[in-house]
Amino acid sequence: MTTRSETLASRISARFGERVKMLPALNGEVACEVAAPDLVEVCRTLRDDPELGFEQMIDLAVVDYLHYGLDEWATAESTSTGFSRGVQRTFEAPPAQQVPGRPGRFAAVYQLLSVSNNWRLRLRCYASDSEPPMLDSVVEVWAAANWFEREGFDLFGVMFKGHPDLRRILTDYGFIGHPFRKDFPLIGNVEVKYDEAKGRVVYQPVSIEPRTLVPRVIRADNRYDQALKDVPVGAPAEDEIRDAR
């Protein structure tokens, strides 16, 4: 028996062919990827074709794949030094476009809903490999994309061409950089304080010492470790029992 997800996937494949790449389904939801030059046309067809009928775009999120799939700690066991969070960063990640299977660093992910056909679709599109990264706006297709694209521009620095009013939406007007980029410093670039002599708030270079906040302890979990599958969830691990003694 064909499921609704399989029906939707077959309709998308038949309608777009090689212009749309089908991705592995997550939790039964259909996912696909489209190239940046085809984004607006594909989105318009997804909306207007009655066999697809995606009238609503319910979410748009930008993703930064800079360190995706790369680990800072090459270990699968806990260490004797505990969490040891305040350490100097020595990890050097390659550019995202040099990671196999990643055509670029930034991508926009669109969550689409068809009320008439009662199904959902996740659509991903990689931005151009430039600075700033570029994508076409889909505001003319779904008006709800307006503020979502402004958020993607503000937090990740992705430029949406054709947007009617592309400006920051969450950060200050004078904010420097894009705080959700993975290479944006956790401590920020500037800090503010009240200057009594000037009688106003002033910006100054940040004074916090940078640290790498990565825990070095890996807790045993019977949801993932087959050796512990018979241990009840929440039961203390052997090292925790030993430490308590």
Side-chain angles (χ1 to χ4, degrees):
M1 181 177 179
T2 304
T3 65
R4 295 183 59 81
S5 298
E6 292 172 341
T7 300
L8 174 58
S10 63
R11 289 187 182 183
I12 292 176
S13 297
R15 182 65 180 82
F16 298 108
E18 296 182 354
R19 297 173 62 194
V20 170
K21 173 185 176 183
M22 302 307 298
L23 300 175
L26 180 63
N27 296 327
E29 291 188 3
V30 179
C32 59
E33 183 176 299
V34 61
D38 298 326
L39 174 63
V40 175
E41 184 179 351
V42 167
C43 287
R44 188 179 293 109
T45 303
L46 288 171
R47 182 196 64 184
D48 297 339
D49 191 328
E51 291 193 347
L52 301 173
F54 289 97
E55 310 98 338
Q56 295 185 20
M57 192 210 76
I58 59 177
D59 189 32
L60 188 165
V62 175
V63 182
D64 183 357
Y65 285 103
L66 180 62
H67 297 160
Y68 183 82
L70 302 175
D71 297 322
E72 294 198 40
W73 302 104
T75 180
E77 298 179 355
S78 60
T79 64
S80 60
T81 55
F83 274 79
S84 184
R85 289 172 176 256
V87 297
Q88 294 294 325
R89 179 181 292 272
T90 59
F91 177 71
E92 292 292 339
Q97 57 269 28
Q98 295 181 10
V99 178
R102 297 291 169 200
R105 172 176 173 179
F106 297 98
V109 180
Y110 305 81
Q111 305 290 345
L112 308 180
L113 171 66
S114 172
V115 177
S116 57
N117 294 318
N118 189 27
W119 49 35
R120 297 173 183 267
L121 174 69
R122 182 168 57 254
L123 179 68
R124 181 174 66 183
C125 182
Y126 279 93
S128 64
D129 184 19
S130 60
E131 186 56 45
M134 305 284 288
L135 273 177
D136 289 325
S137 173
V138 296
V139 171
E140 66 177 56
V141 182
W142 297 291
N146 193 318
W147 282 16
F148 288 114
E149 290 181 351
R150 285 181 59 186
E151 182 183 63
F153 162 70
D154 189 2
L155 302 181
F156 291 92
V158 176
M159 298 288 292
F160 291 90
K161 296 181 294 183
H163 190 284
D165 186 24
L166 192 62
R167 54 193 170 94
R168 291 187 181 270
I169 191 172
L170 295 174
T171 60
D172 191 9
Y173 293 111
F175 193 88
I176 299 174
H178 304 282
F180 275 20
R181 289 191 174 192
K182 289 186 176 179
D183 53 2
F184 187 86
L186 294 177
I187 59 175
N189 293 313
V190 296
E191 61 186 24
V192 297
K193 73 169 187 177
Y194 182 77
D195 191 310
E196 295 185 358
K198 296 181 179 180
R200 60 181 176 86
V201 172
V202 298
Y203 289 87
Q204 65 183 22
V206 66
S207 59
I208 304 174
E209 181 181 354
R211 300 191 305 168
T212 299
L213 304 182
V214 179
R216 302 176 71 180
V217 170
I218 300 176
R219 298 297 183 187
D221 193 321
N222 58 4
R223 292 174 297 177
Y224 312 111
D225 191 343
Q226 292 299 317
L228 300 174
K229 63 181 179 180
D230 296 329
V231 179
V233 175
E238 293 184 3
D239 57 342
E240 294 175 333
I241 297 175
R242 184 177 61 254
D243 293 342
R245 292 174 181 171

